[in-house]
Amino acid sequence: MLSLRIDGELLERLRHHAAKRGMSVQDYVVRTLIRDDFDERFQSAVEETERFYGVT
């Protein structure tokens, strides 16, 4: 089971992306998580965030 807390703006963006593909938000998120390049994209996002905010 996966539980996420997201703000309203992000949820709307996810709904929009999912709707363009004829998918539910849940299916869209799961499909995104299982993409082959997810690990690399996630690591890049973490590194960019750390550069922006500084490592805590």
Side-chain angles (χ1 to χ4, degrees):
M1 180 170 149
L2 176 65
S3 177
L4 298 173
R5 292 184 72 140
I6 57 176
D7 68 15
E9 183 179 327
L10 178 56
L11 180 57
E12 285 306 312
R13 289 176 52 205
L14 288 171
R15 283 184 180 142
H16 177 74
H17 288 290
K20 286 193 326 188
R21 291 160 181 80
M23 304 169 76
S24 69
V25 171
Q26 292 86 351
D27 288 341
Y28 178 78
V29 169
V30 169
R31 182 175 230 176
T32 301
L33 290 173
I34 61 173
R35 283 182 48 177
D36 290 338
D37 64 341
F38 176 77
D39 288 340
E40 292 126 24
R41 294 173 68 221
F42 182 74
Q43 184 61 39
S44 294
V46 168
E47 290 169 359
E48 185 175 329
T49 301
E50 287 175 345
R51 280 193 300 274
F52 184 79
Y53 289 107
V55 177
T56 58

